[in-house]
C-alpha cells in the first residue's frame, strides 16, 4: 500500500514507520519536523520512504499528499494536557481543524486510522469499554474526543491508546513511566501524586503494532473505536512506582498531595474488543524500564529537557 503517516517523525510515528516499511509499504511521512528529522535517520536509506515537511492545518498542502494514498494513519497532534494548555488555540486548530482537513479530503475508498487516547474517558467509575460515555476533562481530552467524532463520521478507525511508555528514536520523558524512571535514576527519588489513581499502559512498540494490525484488518474494523492495550497493564501509579523501585532499589518514593492531573485519568479499561480480534501486547512495563536503564544513566538532566512535550 501507499501509506501516509501524519506525525511520522514523532514518538509513536518514528516507531511505526520502520514497521510499515518492513511490511513492504510505500510510506510518506508528513510532519512539521518541530522536533527535527533525526528520529528517521535509521530508515533514511529505504527507497520506499518519503519525508514531507508540512502541517495538517495547511489544507492545500495536505490535500496534495492525501490524493494518491491508499491509507492515512493520522498521528499528528498536540499531545498531552500541558502542551495543549500552553497554547489552546494552536492545539484546537491542530487536533480538531487539522483532523477535519484529513477526514474531509480523504476519498471513500481510502483507509483512515486515527490515534485517539484514554484521556477521552476522564474520571469514570467502573471499567471503561468502547461504549462508555466519554467525559474528557482537559482541553487535550476534549480535542481528541472531537477528533474521534470527525473520523467516525467518514468511516475511519479510532484507536484509543493507553498511556504509552518505552524507548523511541524521538524520545519523550513527559510520559508517566518514562518520567518516573528517569527521575528514579537521576534524582534517586520518585515524587508521586494521586498514587492511587488507576491507569493503563502500553509500550510504544506495541502501540505501533496496533496500527499495523488495524491496517491489515481494516475491513472488519472500519467505522469503529477500539481501546488499545491489555488488562494486564491496568494498574495504579503507585504500582508503577513500586515496579521501578524494585529495579532501582536505591530510589525512594515520596507521595505528594498538592498536585493533580487535569485529565483526572482514574479508570480501568477493557481491551476485550480488540483482543478478541487477535491483537495482544508483547512488552511488559518491567521490560520497558529495563530498556530505559540501558540509556537513561547517560542522559543528563539538561539534555533531557528537550524530551518534554511542553
Amino acid at each position: 500500500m501507499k501509506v501516509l503517516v501524519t506525525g511520522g517523525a514523532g514518538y509513536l510515528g518514528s516507531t511505526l514507520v520502520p514497521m510499515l516499511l518492513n511490511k513492504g509499504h510505500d510510506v510518506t511521512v508528513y510532519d512539521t519536523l518541530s522536533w527535527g528529522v533525526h528520529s528517521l535517520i535509521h530508515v533514511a536509506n529505504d527507497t520506499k520512504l518519503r519525508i514531507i515537511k508540512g502541517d495538517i492545518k495547511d489544507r492545500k498542502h495536505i490535500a496534495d499528499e492525501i490524493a494518491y494514498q491508499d491509507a492515512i494513519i493520522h498521528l499528528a497532534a498536540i499531545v498531552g494536557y500541558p502542551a495543549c494548555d500552553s497554547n489552546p488555540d494552536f492545539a484546537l486548530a491542530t487536533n480538531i481543524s487539522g483532523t477535519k482537513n484529513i477526514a474531509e479530503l480523504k476519498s471513500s475508498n481510502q483507509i483512515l486510522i486515527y490515534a485517539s487516547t484514554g484521556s477521552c474517558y476522564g474520571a469514570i467509575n467502573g471499567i471503561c469499554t468502547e461504549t462508555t460515555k466519554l467525559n474528557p476533562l482537559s482541553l487535550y481530552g476534549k480535542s481528541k474526543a472531537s477528533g474521534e467524532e470527525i473520523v467516525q463520521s467518514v468511516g475511519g478507525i479510532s484507536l484509543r491508546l493507553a498511556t504509552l511508555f518505552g524507548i523511541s528514536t524521538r524520545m519523550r520523558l513527559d510520559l508517566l513511566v518514562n518520567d518516573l524512571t528517569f527521575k528514579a535514576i537521576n534524582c534517586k527519588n520518585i515524587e508521586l501524586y494521586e498514587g492511587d489513581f488507576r491507569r493503563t499502559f502500553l509500550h510504544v512498540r506495541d502501540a505501533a503494532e496496533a496500527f499495523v494490525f488495524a491496517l491489515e484488518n481494516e475491513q472488519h474494523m472500519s467505522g469503529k473505536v477500539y481501546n488499545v492495550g491489555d488488562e494486564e497493564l491496568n494498574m495504579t501509579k503507585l504500582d508503577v512506582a513500586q515496579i521501578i523501585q524494585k529495579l532501582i532499589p536505591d530510589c525512594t518514593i515520596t507521595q505528594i498531595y498538592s498536585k493533580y492531573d487535569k485529565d483526572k485519568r482514574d479508570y480501568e479499561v477493557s481491551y476485550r474488543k480488540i483482543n478478541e480480534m487477535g491483537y495482544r501486547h508483547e512488552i511488559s512495563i518491567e521490560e520497558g524500564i529495563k530498556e530505559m536503564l540501558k540509556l537513561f544513566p547517560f542522559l543528563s538532566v539538561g539534555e533531557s529537557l528537550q524530551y518534554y512535550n511542553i
Side-chain angles (χ1 to χ4, degrees):
M1 288 186 184
K2 293 182 174 65
V3 183
L4 178 70
V5 183
T6 71
Y11 178 68
L12 175 55
S14 61
T15 304
L16 171 61
V17 165
M19 295 180 182
L20 294 171
L21 292 170
N22 287 338
K23 291 281 187 176
H25 300 298
D26 293 299
V27 179
T28 299
V29 169
Y30 188 92
D31 197 295
T32 61
L33 301 179
S34 301
W35 301 90
V37 73
H38 65 277
S39 64
L40 296 173
I41 287 174
H42 60 307
V43 288
N45 65 333
D46 197 310
T47 58
K48 299 186 297 297
L49 174 68
R50 296 172 64 241
I51 302 173
I52 304 295
K53 184 175 182 178
D55 194 318
I56 58 173
K57 299 191 297 297
D58 185 339
R59 188 178 177 94
K60 184 178 185 307
H61 193 200
I62 190 69
D64 292 338
E65 295 303 324
I66 287 175
Y68 64 91
Q69 304 292 336
D70 299 309
I72 304 109
I73 296 179
H74 178 31
L75 310 180
I78 306 303
V79 178
Y81 78 79
C84 287
D85 286 358
S86 68
N87 194 337
D89 291 340
F90 182 68
L92 290 172
T94 301
N95 294 2
I96 298 178
S97 299
T99 300
K100 188 175 292 186
N101 283 342
I102 292 166
E104 290 176 351
L105 290 167
K106 75 172 281 292
S107 63
S108 59
N109 64 339
Q110 287 176 310
I111 302 163
L112 174 57
I113 307 171
Y114 172 66
S116 188
T117 171
S119 291
C120 292
Y121 286 120
I124 300 289
N125 291 320
I127 298 175
C128 299
T129 71
E130 289 81 358
T131 60
T132 299
K133 184 177 180 181
L134 300 183
N135 184 34
L137 300 176
S138 66
L139 179 65
Y140 170 59
K142 291 173 182 176
S143 71
K144 295 300 285 184
S146 295
E148 273 193 19
E149 292 180 8
I150 294 165
V151 168
Q152 297 314 114
S153 72
V154 295
I157 302 166
S158 292
L159 301 183
R160 211 172 273 164
L161 302 174
T163 299
L164 301 187
F165 67 92
I167 295 293
S168 166
T169 53
R170 207 303 265 178
M171 197 57 207
R172 281 182 61 189
L173 290 178
D174 55 309
L175 297 162
L176 183 72
V177 180
N178 298 2
D179 179 49
L180 296 185
T181 301
F182 181 78
K183 288 174 179 173
I185 291 169
N186 289 276
C187 306
K188 301 303 178 185
N189 182 52
I190 297 173
E191 289 192 349
L192 192 69
Y193 61 94
E194 297 177 330
D196 61 330
F197 273 33
R198 296 160 300 154
R199 292 277 194 88
T200 182
F201 301 93
L202 185 67
H203 195 283
V204 63
R205 292 201 301 276
D206 284 328
E209 290 284 5
F211 286 88
V212 176
F213 181 86
L215 188 62
E216 294 175 349
N217 293 275
E218 59 85 18
Q219 288 185 331
H220 305 291
M221 297 175 70
S222 290
K224 299 173 186 175
V225 178
Y226 295 84
N227 292 329
V228 180
D230 197 289
E231 280 85 351
E232 290 181 4
L233 299 184
N234 278 321
M235 56 187 68
T236 67
K237 292 166 70 174
L238 181 58
D239 290 335
V240 172
Q242 289 172 338
I243 292 171
I244 295 170
Q245 187 181 50
K246 187 176 179 181
L247 295 169
I248 311 173
D250 61 343
C251 81
T252 58
I253 299 172
T254 304
Q255 298 231 41
I256 305 296
Y257 298 97
S258 57
K259 292 179 68 178
Y260 63 95
D261 183 343
K262 288 187 180 180
D263 274 338
K264 289 294 178 187
R265 287 170 289 176
D266 180 16
Y267 47 69
E268 185 174 345
V269 180
S270 167
Y271 299 103
R272 181 176 178 180
K273 185 175 178 182
I274 196 166
N275 288 349
E276 287 183 343
M277 294 192 66
Y279 171 81
R280 291 287 189 280
H281 89 286
E282 296 289 339
I283 307 167
S284 69
I285 285 184
E286 290 91 338
E287 290 169 316
I289 294 168
K290 287 176 181 177
E291 291 177 355
M292 295 181 223
L293 290 177
K294 296 176 184 178
L295 302 179
F296 284 6
F298 309 105
L299 183 65
S300 70
V301 174
E303 185 185 357
S304 73
L305 296 176
Q306 65 183 300
Y307 301 125
Y308 285 86
N309 276 11
I310 54 175

